[in-house]
Amino acid sequence: MPSETEKSTSAPSDELEDARVDERDQEESDGIALPSHVAGSGSLDRLVDTARVYARAAASENTLKAYAKDWAHFARWCRMKGAKPLPPSPEMIGLYLADLASGSSSSPSQSASRPLSVSTIDRRLSGLAWNYAQRGFTLDRKNRHIATVLAGIKRKHARPPVQKEAILAEDILSMVATLPFDLRGLRDRAILLIGYAGGLRRSEIVSLDHGKDDTPDAGGWIEILDDGALLTLNAKTGWREVEIGRGSSDQTCPVHALEQWLHFARIDFGPVFVRTSRDGKKALGARLSDKHVARLIKQTVLKSGIRADLPEKDRLALFSGHSLRAGLASSAEIDERYVQKQLGHASAEMTRRYQRRRDRFRVNLTKAAGL
């Protein structure tokens, strides 16, 4: 058993070593370079830098951050076990997955950690595969040491996905009613209504620009037309257009709310949804984070009294950014294929997962089959 002095001196040393290794790993993951037999030049070196920028753009910023954390966790786990993360060892990765699923302790001196869900473990494995690919290695997920362990984890621990509560039409109106009519209130009202009517992800909402090619970090742009707003989005499944028609009244119309925000914030270029000054009266230039959308939803859910039958902690856990998408899918009483198109889903089955309330037996195959 190490003494208190040993603990206090070794912990910072371990953290420093972790930081150094993680930094070195990050440098190795930017593994785009000139072939060894090609002499460098100014133009070629610039192209290497450009290629690295494009390579980093192959996945979203949030995905890259998650993958970086996955690698850092695995590398630290390997060091604690006296192993090396490179080159990939299917046997060690199989043991790592088992450790994540069982919640066993990382070392004799540490208490057991919380077991991870199957979806998180699957994501961790994807993160490792991506990181190995960036370092010039191939991780064979079908290798028996990985595949059989993962299959056993799924068979033993898999649970139906936990779905967030849908924000329905009456809910979104109650949430919007809690917002003030200062500049910040106008912005947040437009965020909620546009996000709901468009069935948008929170990252898609904050990535919008006023016009095409306004900023290099945009994920799409808007066009306001007589009959509504047309959003062109570079989403997870590729480019798609989202049509948001005008509402039945200015109080509930997402396009009117968007026009009001753009007018009073004097935004005619760049990011649509930006930060405001502390007093909520002046629009600033910085684009909002997608975390603001999640916070906004939770705050207005509490203020509007939605699901007031539950404790505050449970109410907050029920709702997230995806509640807007689920709300549109659950509330729109139209043909399912139109909802599928609006949400950008590749299959109707995925759209049905978002529908918290629907007539499940509208199509009765039993009767159709003659029974």
Side-chain angles (χ1 to χ4, degrees):
M1 180 70 69
S3 66
E4 292 297 324
T5 304
E6 288 173 336
K7 289 181 181 178
S8 63
T9 56
S10 63
S13 176
D14 290 342
E15 292 175 1
L16 182 59
E17 178 62 19
D18 289 341
R20 288 171 178 169
V21 174
D22 292 342
E23 183 178 353
R24 186 166 64 248
D25 287 342
Q26 182 60 46
E27 292 174 355
E28 291 174 358
S29 69
D30 293 335
I32 295 179
L34 289 173
S36 57
H37 62 277
V38 175
S41 67
S43 60
L44 285 177
D45 290 338
R46 285 192 296 272
L47 282 177
V48 170
D49 293 336
T50 302
R52 286 175 177 165
V53 171
Y54 282 129
R56 285 192 290 270
S60 71
E61 183 179 352
N62 286 342
T63 299
L64 293 177
K65 287 181 180 178
Y67 285 170
K69 290 181 179 178
D70 293 339
W71 180 258
H73 187 274
F74 175 65
R76 177 176 174 81
W77 182 88
C78 286
R79 290 193 293 275
M80 295 179 70
K81 302 299 182 185
K84 294 183 179 180
L86 294 172
S89 166
E91 294 86 353
M92 288 302 298
I93 293 175
L95 295 178
Y96 175 65
L97 299 181
D99 200 358
L100 296 179
S102 64
S104 58
S105 62
S106 299
S107 71
S109 62
Q110 290 184 331
S111 59
S113 58
R114 181 175 59 87
L116 298 185
S117 67
V118 172
S119 60
T120 302
I121 293 173
D122 214 10
R123 208 289 316 283
R124 287 272 179 97
L125 184 57
S126 297
L128 294 185
W130 186 90
N131 276 283
Y132 277 124
Q134 306 315 302
R135 291 163 172 79
F137 297 97
T138 299
L139 177 62
D140 182 10
R141 295 183 55 157
K142 295 183 179 180
N143 182 285
R144 64 185 179 87
H145 294 286
I146 298 174
T148 54
V149 171
L150 186 60
I153 291 173
K154 290 182 177 180
R155 184 177 179 84
K156 186 172 182 179
H157 298 294
R159 298 288 184 273
V162 178
Q163 294 183 321
K164 294 297 182 179
E165 192 93 351
I167 292 175
L168 304 178
E170 57 269 24
D171 298 328
I172 197 73
L173 296 181
S174 298
M175 293 163 63
V176 167
T178 67
L179 297 171
F181 285 91
D182 60 2
L183 198 59
R184 184 179 298 160
L186 292 177
R187 179 199 65 191
D188 290 345
R189 185 174 284 102
I191 286 175
L192 290 176
L193 291 174
I194 286 290
Y196 179 81
L200 305 179
R201 301 175 179 88
R202 63 185 192 181
S203 59
E204 293 172 341
I205 297 172
V206 299
S207 70
L208 288 169
D209 270 8
H210 190 280
K212 182 180 179 182
D213 299 330
D214 277 359
T215 63
D217 63 334
W221 65 92
I222 62 169
E223 297 175 71
I224 298 180
L225 310 173
D226 291 340
D227 294 329
L230 178 64
L231 279 56
T232 304
L233 299 171
N234 186 9
K236 291 173 64 175
T237 54
W239 287 98
R240 81 177 200 274
E241 290 184 343
V242 173
E243 301 161 358
I244 300 179
R246 293 187 181 272
S248 55
S249 70
D250 286 348
Q251 287 71 32
T252 62
C253 176
V255 181
H256 178 75
L258 179 61
E259 289 174 324
Q260 290 288 99
W261 158 246
L262 293 175
H263 172 73
F264 287 103
R266 299 180 180 179
I267 294 176
D268 55 12
F269 182 85
V272 170
F273 295 113
V274 297
R275 299 180 183 276
T276 61
S277 57
R278 190 175 296 274
D279 60 8
K281 296 180 179 180
K282 181 181 179 182
L284 306 178
R287 187 188 301 274
L288 275 179
S289 163
D290 64 338
K291 293 179 180 178
H292 173 79
V293 180
R295 288 193 297 266
L296 173 63
I297 290 172
K298 292 180 182 293
Q299 290 168 359
T300 51
V301 162
L302 288 181
K303 290 181 180 179
S304 61
I306 298 172
R307 293 305 307 269
D309 56 309
L310 297 175
E312 180 177 308
K313 181 180 179 181
D314 295 339
R315 293 167 66 195
L316 290 174
L318 277 177
F319 296 93
S320 72
H322 256 55
S323 295
L324 295 177
R325 286 168 63 78
L328 177 72
S330 302
S331 299
E333 300 291 340
I334 58 174
D335 193 302
E336 196 174 73
R337 56 183 170 167
Y338 295 112
V339 180
Q340 178 183 340
K341 178 181 180 296
Q342 188 82 337
L343 297 182
H345 288 155
S347 68
E349 180 60 34
M350 178 58 71
T351 302
R352 294 188 190 106
R353 295 183 189 178
Y354 282 73
Q355 294 173 327
R356 306 295 189 262
R357 62 178 190 186
R358 64 185 176 90
D359 185 359
R360 296 180 179 274
F361 301 101
R362 180 175 58 183
V363 178
N364 190 328
L365 293 181
T366 304
K367 291 182 178 179
L371 299 179

